[in-house]
Amino acid sequence: MVISIKYYIREFKKKMDITEYVKDKFGKDQCTKMINIRRGGDNNNKGNRLEEFFAVNSIVKIIATSTDDDISNIIVVAQDPGFVDDFVIKDKVRDHKTNYQIKNSAGVAANWTGEMQDRFEMQQDLDTGYHNFGNASQVLLVSDSAKQKANAQALTKLGNSAFKSQFFPDAASTFELLNRSEELRTNMEQICGEKNLSTLDQGVRVVLGEWKSSSDERSIADIFQGVRDMSKPDIFKSGTKLEPPRWLLNTAEPFNNIEIVVKSVGLSVRYNGFEVNIFKELEEPSQLILSGVSNELKFIELLLSLTQDDYKQI
């Protein structure tokens, strides 16, 4: 795992007050505006349900789909000083920062506006100029699907690929959220190693509790460790690191296009646009079966037969 030299430049730049940068670049009025945005977020204190639920969904997704190196080097925080600050993901490996402005509304508050465009443009400058990330994205996330589509059309006309529109459902409870968000449910199934909704709901509530326990920026690895420490008993069974068995490595060795990735939850075997996820120790097939694996497709077919429905197309 290689971290860009820009990361170390970012750490040095933290010694510069961000308000000084904003005042010099955008003027005193915009600096005051940024401070007021932060003050409003601090007063909210993560109290917005949609913000909390989306943070949980993002954390769970990263844990379920990333390697150990990734989750140690992906940082998340709410109310990061700036113009787009509700939820922020700092990916030090990919040198990318993603900022979310979250609107739990179907009304005008969730509209893409000229004022929102100004905030996105200033945040993009902050991310690449002050924080020194190589790439950044600004996302307007709303809880109304029709509003999301309207915002997406407006952003398409704007023509800035760094500015995005996204939908995420609101829910009255974590149990309802699991039923409304297939993505969250699927990723929780991977982390917990089962599909029982009561267990998954318990897991979501533990992640939510750990997220709300601190306002400091933290790595996904630190959050996941806190989650497992809080879970008594530990229901995150597949969070245990899984090493590829020798028979799997030997069978894959002749095939140059097969990629085996050790993730924070299990393994992934990838080939030509498909990903087979493995979350538990697999029983070694007989030598007769292994000898019939003559190409990549037959290898994938074997793994699908062993893991049943635990796969997805990329």
Side-chain angles (χ1 to χ4, degrees):
M1 186 271 298
V2 178
I3 298 177
S4 168
I5 189 65
K6 290 183 177 181
Y7 166 68
Y8 299 101
I9 297 175
R10 285 196 295 272
E11 295 302 301
F12 177 78
K13 276 191 172 183
K14 284 182 179 179
K15 296 178 182 178
M16 178 196 300
D17 190 347
I18 191 171
T19 58
E20 294 177 6
Y21 180 92
V22 172
K23 187 182 297 183
D24 291 343
K25 190 69 183 284
F26 305 118
K28 182 178 179 181
D29 290 346
Q30 295 296 348
C31 182
T32 301
K33 182 176 184 177
M34 184 190 71
I35 292 170
N36 289 336
I37 290 171
R38 174 63 186 269
R39 183 178 296 123
D42 287 342
N43 290 339
N44 185 50
N45 196 28
K46 294 187 185 175
N48 185 296
R49 182 176 63 199
L50 185 65
E51 292 178 21
E52 293 176 349
F53 283 177
F54 179 69
V56 168
N57 179 75
S58 300
I59 292 165
V60 168
K61 180 180 180 180
I62 294 169
I63 292 171
T65 60
S66 303
T67 66
D68 284 344
D69 277 345
D70 281 347
I71 67 171
S72 295
N73 290 285
I74 297 177
I75 309 296
V76 291
V77 64
Q79 310 307 328
D80 200 37
F83 295 97
V84 183
D85 68 338
D86 287 333
F87 182 68
V88 177
I89 300 174
K90 303 176 183 181
D91 189 334
K92 297 188 291 188
V93 177
R94 295 165 187 83
D95 197 22
H96 192 100
K97 186 170 182 277
T98 306
N99 308 278
Y100 293 89
Q101 197 65 38
I102 301 175
K103 300 293 185 181
N104 194 0
S105 171
V108 295
N111 284 355
W112 174 258
T113 63
E115 187 269 343
M116 186 67 70
Q117 180 177 335
D118 289 342
R119 288 174 62 174
F120 274 36
E121 290 173 348
M122 288 187 289
Q123 185 63 53
Q124 191 76 10
D125 184 280
L126 274 178
D127 292 339
T128 56
Y130 177 77
H131 295 293
N132 211 51
F133 277 88
N135 298 281
S137 299
Q138 318 303 327
V139 184
L140 176 56
L141 184 140
V142 299
S143 58
D144 181 80
S145 58
K147 186 67 66 176
Q148 184 275 327
K149 291 176 183 177
N151 290 338
Q153 291 177 351
L155 286 168
T156 298
K157 293 178 182 178
L158 184 64
N160 190 330
S161 61
F163 298 171
K164 306 176 188 300
S165 171
Q166 186 173 333
F167 165 77
F168 187 75
D170 187 28
S173 66
T174 53
F175 192 84
E176 181 183 342
L177 182 64
L178 278 166
N179 282 283
R180 297 197 65 191
S181 174
E182 182 180 357
E183 179 180 65
L184 176 61
R185 187 171 63 254
T186 299
N187 287 326
M188 283 301 301
E189 288 173 359
Q190 293 185 12
I191 293 175
C192 295
E194 64 172 274
K195 298 185 177 184
N196 182 280
L197 277 177
S198 294
T199 301
L200 302 184
D201 182 50
Q202 180 184 349
V204 169
R205 286 185 279 111
V206 173
V207 176
L208 178 61
E210 177 61 24
W211 168 244
K212 294 170 66 175
S213 70
S214 173
S215 60
D216 296 335
E217 67 173 42
R218 291 182 288 167
S219 73
I220 297 295
D222 287 342
I223 293 173
F224 192 32
Q225 185 59 57
V227 164
R228 301 197 73 180
D229 290 343
M230 286 178 62
S231 182
K232 306 295 182 184
D234 184 2
I235 61 174
F236 300 92
K237 304 300 183 183
S238 60
T240 303
K241 190 173 182 180
L242 185 63
E243 296 291 344
R246 177 52 54 187
W247 68 264
L248 182 71
L249 296 174
N250 289 341
T251 307
E253 187 174 4
F255 310 129
N256 294 330
N257 295 321
I258 293 289
E259 181 184 13
I260 299 175
V261 180
V262 179
K263 302 197 299 184
S264 59
V265 282
L267 306 171
S268 285
V269 180
R270 300 169 182 171
Y271 169 68
N272 196 29
F274 285 92
E275 179 178 357
V276 181
N277 294 310
I278 303 170
F279 303 110
K280 59 185 178 181
E281 296 287 348
L282 297 179
E283 183 177 351
E284 181 175 353
S286 67
Q287 285 303 310
L288 178 63
I289 292 176
L290 292 177
S291 65
V293 179
S294 56
N295 56 48
E296 288 94 335
L297 284 178
K298 289 189 177 295
F299 182 62
I300 293 297
E301 289 173 359
L302 170 63
L303 294 182
L304 292 179
S305 71
L306 295 174
T307 58
Q308 297 182 7
D309 63 344
D310 287 336
Y311 72 94
K312 61 182 180 181
Q313 189 168 8
I314 298 175

